[in-house]
C-alpha cells in the first residue's frame, strides 16, 4: 500500500496531515521502506502518525517520536520509542543520539516555531546519517509573526533556506563571499514544496565534470 492509502485507511489514533505532503514523504522517504533504519519524528501529535510510519516503513524500521507532552508516552510499543523533551534543548537532543546513535531520516513536525525549528536543525543536521534526509513540514508558519517568522524575516527557516542554496553551491561562487562549508560538503540536494523544506545528504558527492564520446565530433561555439 502507498503511504497515502495507509493514511486514508487509518481507523486508530488520529493523524493530522495535509494531502500534498504525501507526495514529498513518498518521494524522499520511500528509499527506506523495508530497510533497517531509524526514523526520528519530532512531534507525536495524537500518536497516529508513528503508527502510520511503522506500518509503511516496515518491521525493520525503528521509530523514535519526541514530544513535550507526557501523555505521549502511551504511544510507545515494540517498534516505537517515545521520549519526552524539548526539540530545541541540545542536552535532550544529545541524549537521543547517545541512546539511538544516529538517525537516517528526521521529520520535524513539532512546535513549528522558528526558534525551535532552527535549533533542532542546527544540532541534528550535522549528526544525521551521511546519506540521510531531513524534512521540515508545516512551514507556512515561517511567514507568521506569532511563530517567529514573516516574509523576509531573518529568523524564518524559509529565509535561511534561501541563503543555504548559496552555501550548497559555494564551490561555484567566484567573488570570494562564500567559502565551502561542512553543509556544502555534506549536502547533495535541497527541495522546497508548499510548506515543506527538505535537505538530503550524501557521503560522497561527485561534482567533477567530464566529457565523454568522440572528441572529433565536438563543435566549438
Amino acid at each position: 500500500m502507498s503511504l497515502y492509502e495507509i493514511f486514508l485507511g487509518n481507523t486508530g489514533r488520529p493523524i493530522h496531515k495535509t494531502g500534498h505532503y504525501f507526495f514529498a514523504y513518498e518521494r524522499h522517504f520511500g528509499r527506506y521502506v523495508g530497510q533497517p533504519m531509524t526514523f526520528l519524528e519530532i512531534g507525536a501529535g495524537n500518536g497516529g502518525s508513528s503508527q502510520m510510519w511503522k506500518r509503511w516503513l516496515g518491521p525493520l524500521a525503528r521509530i523514535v517520536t519526541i514530544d513535550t507532552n507526557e501523555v505521549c508516552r502511551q504511544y510507545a510499543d515494540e517498534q516505537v520509542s517515545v521520549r519526552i523533551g524539548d526539540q530545541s534543548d541540545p542536552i535532550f537532543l544529545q541524549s537521543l543520539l547517545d541512546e539511538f546513535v544516529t538517525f537516517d531520516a528526521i521529520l520535524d513536525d513539532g512546535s513549528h516555531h522558528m526558534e525551535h525549528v532552527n535549533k533542532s536543525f542546527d544540532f541534528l543536521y550535522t549528526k544525521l546519517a551521511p546519506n540521510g534526509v531531513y524534512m521540515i513540514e508545516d512551514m507556512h508558519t515561517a511567514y507568521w509573526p506569532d511563530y517567529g517568522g514573516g516574509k523576509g524575516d531573518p529568523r524564518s527557516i524559509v529565509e535561511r533556506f534561501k541563503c543555504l542554496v548559496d552555501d550548497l553551491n559555494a564551490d561555484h561562487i567566484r567573488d570570494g563571499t562564500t567559502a565551502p562549508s561542512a553543509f556544502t560538503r555534506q549536502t547533495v540536494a535541497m527541495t522546497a514544496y508548499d510548506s515543506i523544506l527538505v535537505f538530503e545528504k550524501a557521503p560522497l558527492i561527485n561534482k567533477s565534470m567530464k566529457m565523454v564520446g568522440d572528441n572529433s565530433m565536438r563543435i566549438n561555439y
Side-chain angles (χ1 to χ4, degrees), residues 25 40 55 70 129 152 197-198 205 210:
Y25 293 155
L40 175 62
R55 186 175 179 190
E70 285 285 345
L197 304 175
V198 185
I205 304 173
K210 300 177 181 178

Side-chain angles (χ1 to χ4, degrees), residues 24 63 67 71 79 83 89 94 115 134 150 159 168 187 221:
I63 314 299
D67 206 285
V71 76
Q79 201 174 333
R83 300 294 180 265
D89 178 3
Q94 183 58 54
E115 179 184 359
Y134 196 110
E159 292 302 315
L168 178 68
T187 308
Y221 292 95

Side-chain angles (χ1 to χ4, degrees), residues 2-207:
S2 72
L3 182 60
Y4 190 54
E5 287 173 322
I6 293 172
F7 168 70
L8 291 177
N10 177 55
T11 58
R13 298 188 188 107
I15 309 171
H16 185 213
K17 295 290 184 183
T18 301
H20 80 278
Y21 286 12
F22 289 87
F23 172 74
Y25 293 155
E26 296 190 1
R27 188 176 187 185
H28 296 282
F29 296 146
R31 71 179 79 168
Y32 300 113
V33 173
Q35 302 299 312
M37 59 89 68
T38 305
F39 183 92
L40 175 62
E41 178 186 45
I42 302 175
N46 292 293
S49 58
S50 61
Q51 294 300 308
M52 177 185 74
W53 295 120
K54 181 177 79 168
R55 186 175 179 190
W56 184 56
L57 292 170
L60 300 181
R62 176 170 54 181
I63 314 299
V64 181
T65 297
I66 67 171
D67 206 285
T68 57
N69 191 343
E70 285 285 345
V71 76
C72 295
R73 291 189 187 276
Q74 66 182 293
Y75 305 149
D77 62 26
E78 79 289 343
Q79 201 174 333
V80 177
S81 300
V82 179
R83 300 294 180 265
I84 304 302
D86 184 340
Q87 73 171 98
S88 64
D89 178 3
I91 296 176
F92 170 64
L93 296 178
Q94 183 58 54
S95 74
L96 298 177
L97 294 170
D98 292 341
E99 181 177 3
F100 300 104
V101 183
T102 191
F103 297 105
D104 298 287
I106 297 175
L107 175 65
D108 186 345
D109 186 21
S111 75
H112 311 311
H113 283 264
M114 295 305 101
E115 179 184 359
H116 299 161
V117 170
N118 277 293
K119 286 184 176 179
S120 297
F121 181 80
D122 286 340
F123 190 88
L124 292 171
Y125 185 71
T126 58
K127 301 170 181 65
L128 182 68
N131 59 344
V133 178
Y134 196 110
M135 183 181 294
I136 310 171
E137 69 177 57
D138 290 345
M139 283 302 95
H140 42 272
T141 61
Y143 295 94
W144 298 352
D146 52 331
Y147 279 76
K151 183 180 179 182
D153 192 310
R155 299 173 299 173
S156 163
I157 191 69
V158 169
E159 292 302 315
R160 185 177 181 186
F161 186 92
K162 296 174 185 178
C163 294
L164 284 172
V165 171
D166 291 333
D167 206 353
L168 178 68
N169 290 281
D171 288 308
H172 315 297
I173 298 174
R174 297 178 175 179
D175 63 6
T177 61
T178 307
S181 65
F183 182 87
T184 312
R185 298 294 176 239
Q186 294 176 335
T187 308
V188 67
M190 298 167 60
T191 309
Y193 301 86
D194 180 338
S195 302
I196 295 178
L197 304 175
V198 185
F199 302 84
E200 296 180 79
K201 294 174 70 173
L204 176 64
I205 304 173
N206 184 359
K207 294 185 177 182

